[in-house]
Amino acid sequence: MPVKKKSTYVANPVFEAGFQNLTGSSSNPREFILKKGDEKHCPPQVKTFLEAYKAVYAFTGHGANNQIKDISEIHAHLDTVVEDLDKKHTNNNGQRTWLACYGGDPYDKHKQDIAAVMHYLAHRHKVHVLAVQCEEYGFGKYGIILDDGKLNIKPFGHLRATVIYETDYDGNKKILFGGHKRKCRAIPKHSDLQLVGASRYILGNLFDGKLKGQISCGGGPIAVRETELALLHFGLNILYIPTTVKYSAPAFTLKKEKPDDHEVVSLEHILLYYVLLLREDSTNVIYDLGMPNSVNQRLWCLAYFISKPWVYP
């Protein structure tokens, strides 16, 4: 008798539609893992999955090192985002037609980070969430897909689907999770960009032209570079939700051309720079999340945000 192949469908208590590994087959969960070059097109299995959606929004924010001090502080802002996106992306049958994606961090209720944001969206609002994760953290005991091919429910029960790609490493065998390679503060030309990690695919053509914006809930070096890419190179609408860090300021040092010359850059700093840079552009408007009107908060926390008008595309 022929061996019965396992299905890529896995039951998920959050979603009736279950969970799908979009880079695996019924017999091999690693069969269609994305490799360098695959960012140039939308894989057939992903294209089929995306037929139910008209728009994709990428979420980024604090990771497991910095963490979010109190995620309940941004729940109201996330509620507003969902409400507004639902108004824009709901079909005639009342079905939501937008998808949220992020880098695939595991949810841990004791270590709240960007995964807690996605967990909230999925459990509170039933938002469909897709993770774009590297192979190193996509499989195994602590990965999204367990050795038996099933979804690792406890840390990833908020997922509707995942796309897994071949892990990117730097010269020291350190994993590159996202952003782009850069040795100095100078912003590279678009033609010189070397996207790495999840950014290579999210900002590539993985979503078949349906990526419409990025929502940033704080963040460190990777979030800075992801936002910089989305804002300056890919023309995405960006929404920044001020999110208090728990353990450290989301800052890092980038060397300039002179070895002894450096500066500290955070997500708030870099967004403020772009807002001031673009403030004379009459097309730029601020999306109001109802934060306090303090000028200091506007400038430092960027409670009101950013570059292109946040008119949900």
Side-chain angles (χ1 to χ4, degrees):
M1 293 181 63
V3 177
K4 186 177 180 180
K5 294 184 178 180
K6 294 181 180 179
S7 171
T8 55
Y9 169 89
V10 178
N12 184 339
V14 178
F15 305 117
E16 288 184 12
F19 165 82
Q20 287 182 260
N21 172 12
L22 300 178
T23 40
S25 68
S26 58
S27 59
N28 180 4
R30 300 173 184 256
E31 185 166 350
F32 304 116
I33 286 177
L34 301 183
K35 302 183 186 325
K36 291 180 182 178
D38 289 343
E39 70 275 8
K40 298 177 182 178
H41 65 274
C42 178
Q45 62 275 24
V46 177
K47 186 183 286 286
T48 298
F49 176 81
L50 289 175
E51 289 177 356
Y53 308 97
K54 300 297 183 183
V56 179
Y57 290 86
F59 283 72
T60 187
H62 294 306
N65 291 330
N66 289 338
Q67 298 180 32
I68 296 172
K69 185 175 182 179
D70 183 1
I71 193 172
S72 66
E73 291 182 350
I74 65 170
H75 281 170
H77 306 318
L78 294 172
D79 295 342
T80 299
V81 169
V82 172
E83 180 181 356
D84 287 348
L85 288 177
D86 282 350
K87 288 178 182 178
K88 181 65 179 178
H89 303 294
T90 299
N91 63 23
N92 294 333
N93 297 322
Q95 297 172 318
R96 178 181 287 143
T97 59
W98 65 276
L99 174 72
C101 78
Y102 82 119
D105 300 58
Y107 171 70
D108 182 341
K109 65 180 181 180
H110 301 296
K111 298 179 180 179
Q112 297 191 334
D113 55 14
I114 185 60
V117 172
M118 311 315 288
H119 183 273
Y120 178 79
L121 293 175
H123 284 262
R124 175 68 178 85
H125 294 287
K126 302 299 180 183
V127 171
H128 287 187
V129 177
L130 180 148
V132 181
Q133 180 60 285
C134 67
E135 186 176 7
E136 181 77 16
Y137 288 93
F139 296 98
K141 183 178 180 180
Y142 302 104
I144 297 173
I145 309 296
L146 296 171
D147 292 334
D148 60 4
K150 294 181 179 179
L151 174 66
N152 191 353
I153 290 286
K154 188 173 181 180
F156 296 105
H158 55 280
L159 295 184
R160 173 69 179 83
T162 190
V163 169
I164 297 175
Y165 60 89
E166 191 175 64
T167 308
D168 261 353
Y169 299 95
D170 66 12
N172 297 316
K173 297 299 181 180
K174 181 180 179 181
I175 295 178
L176 298 171
F177 290 101
H180 61 89
K181 292 181 180 179
R182 181 175 63 186
K183 295 182 179 180
C184 66
R185 182 69 192 92
I187 299 169
K189 296 179 180 179
H190 190 85
S191 59
D192 295 332
L193 283 177
Q194 296 184 57
L195 303 187
V196 297
S199 300
R200 181 196 306 277
Y201 304 97
I202 292 175
L203 295 173
N205 201 34
L206 175 63
F207 296 119
D208 203 23
K210 294 183 178 182
L211 182 65
K212 302 299 184 183
Q214 179 175 297
I215 298 162
S216 301
C217 302
I222 294 176
V224 168
R225 290 177 178 174
E226 288 172 338
T227 302
E228 195 173 62
L229 287 167
L231 179 61
L232 296 184
H233 293 286
F234 292 91
L236 296 177
N237 290 307
I238 311 291
L239 175 65
Y240 176 65
I241 300 176
T243 306
T244 307
V245 68
K246 184 175 182 179
Y247 287 119
S248 63
F252 63 103
T253 298
L254 288 172
K255 293 183 179 179
K256 291 185 178 180
E257 294 181 1
K258 296 179 181 179
D260 296 328
D261 193 11
H262 67 276
E263 63 180 332
V264 175
V265 180
S266 73
L267 185 59
E268 286 78 8
H269 288 135
I270 204 164
L271 295 181
L272 173 58
Y273 169 76
Y274 294 140
V275 168
L276 295 177
L277 183 68
L278 300 170
R279 64 183 175 180
E280 295 181 359
D281 186 339
S282 61
T283 64
N284 293 328
V285 299
I286 303 301
Y287 178 75
D288 184 356
L289 277 177
M291 296 294 287
N293 292 322
S294 161
V295 173
N296 287 336
Q297 276 200 313
R298 288 188 189 184
L299 295 179
W300 176 247
C301 296
L302 289 173
Y304 303 83
F305 183 46
I306 199 166
S307 99
K308 283 191 164 185
W310 182 262
V311 177
Y312 295 96

